[in-house]
Amino acid sequence: MRLLVVEDEEDLAEGLRVGLTRAGYAVDLAADAAQAYEQLTVNAYDLMLLDVNLPDGDGFTLCRSVRTGEIPTPGNHELRVLMLTARGDLSDRVRGLDDGADDYLVKPFHLAELQARIRALLRRDTNGTTACLTVGDIVLDTARHEVTVRAVPLNLTRKEFGVLEYLMTRPGKVVSSEELLEHVWDANADPFTQTVRVTVGTLRRKLGEGSIETVVGSGYRLSGSRS
Ligand code: CA
């Protein structure tokens, strides 16, 4: 899953980038509204962490512009927005939700709580009620970062985990390699490498042949079955 962190406090932004990357997310940073605008029009994100007070504007306006389509965000139709607001400011929290934010977190916050809220927002599409995704005999725990197949633990690299998580939120659907590159890799990824194909290949071997079907010319589909 790919996140855009819009935060002008450098130390906080860098801390979030490190912590969230360690948690397995692809993370891009934007230091102001203008950078966020640019990133949103070019890249596809699953969730945006949005600071309310930005040097060149405010998070509310940016959020509303995304929701009304004023900012063209072709790949962001399922974008979740989590606002970062100032302590105790009730009007900020209310306004954020009214402007289309899905949730908010009051600064300062603990990374563990932020990560739990991110997981909760990202599983809304999957009708999941816990941190675990299940497709067939594959179970992926987004909180503990563990994958089991028929209760046997599987050792995955960070990118293999990211690809599997993305496919598991879209079971039975064909997902293109461009879409995987957009949602599992960050802005530093080279769009012309074979990295997606290679990662899907090693993931498929670990899950078992037949687990991920290649749909020629379209992409990949997770079947969840080992045979
Ligand atoms: Ca700020």
Side-chain angles (χ1 to χ4, degrees):
M1 298 289 172
R2 187 171 182 183
L3 314 183
L4 178 63
V5 175
V6 187
E7 171 59 68
D8 59 306
E9 288 170 51
E10 270 182 43
D11 290 349
L12 178 57
E14 183 56 19
L16 290 172
R17 192 188 63 75
V18 170
L20 294 170
T21 301
R22 201 170 285 155
Y25 299 106
V27 181
D28 294 326
L29 298 181
D32 54 36
Q35 282 183 22
Y37 184 102
E38 194 185 327
Q39 301 261 52
L40 285 165
T41 54
V42 182
N43 301 316
Y45 294 101
D46 300 290
L47 185 142
M48 169 164 63
L49 272 185
L50 182 55
D51 183 28
V52 165
N53 299 306
L54 296 168
D56 58 346
D58 66 75
F60 304 120
T61 307
L62 186 74
C63 186
R64 202 171 49 246
S65 304
V66 167
R67 292 310 191 206
T68 57
E70 201 180 316
I71 298 180
T73 54
N76 295 285
H77 51 285
E78 289 170 356
L79 181 73
R80 302 286 183 238
V81 178
L82 176 51
M83 295 278 249
L84 303 176
T85 71
R87 173 174 285 281
D89 198 334
L90 177 66
S91 62
D92 268 13
R93 294 178 339 234
V94 171
R95 189 173 167 200
L97 295 171
D98 282 343
D99 280 333
D102 297 287
D103 197 4
Y104 63 85
L105 195 56
V106 176
K107 287 180 175 181
F109 50 81
H110 287 283
L111 189 61
E113 183 181 3
L114 174 67
Q115 292 183 352
R117 284 174 186 260
I118 290 173
R119 287 194 295 271
L121 288 175
L122 290 179
R123 68 173 173 255
R124 275 196 189 168
D125 291 336
T126 66
N127 300 319
T129 49
T130 73
C132 287
L133 299 168
T134 305
V135 175
D137 44 24
I138 306 169
V139 178
L140 181 147
D141 187 328
T142 58
R144 292 192 177 80
H145 264 254
E146 292 166 356
V147 175
T148 58
V149 177
R150 293 176 190 161
V152 178
L154 215 58
N155 201 4
L156 300 183
T157 66
R158 190 174 289 174
K159 287 305 177 200
E160 287 165 357
F161 186 95
V163 166
L164 181 61
E165 181 181 18
Y166 193 80
L167 290 175
M168 285 183 79
T169 61
R170 288 152 180 83
K173 289 190 184 142
V174 178
V175 177
S176 70
S177 35
E178 291 78 18
E179 190 176 343
L180 284 174
L181 191 70
E182 281 282 2
H183 288 272
V184 183
W185 278 263
D186 62 26
N188 298 316
D190 175 359
F192 301 107
T193 64
Q194 297 293 311
T195 182
V196 173
R197 195 178 57 80
V198 170
T199 305
V200 170
T202 56
L203 175 62
R204 181 192 282 131
R205 273 196 292 283
K206 289 181 182 179
L207 289 170
E209 291 304 323
S211 54
I212 302 172
E213 184 191 346
T214 299
V215 182
V216 178
S218 304
Y220 304 100
R221 181 163 47 207
L222 181 71
S223 72
S225 159
R226 287 200 98 171
S227 54

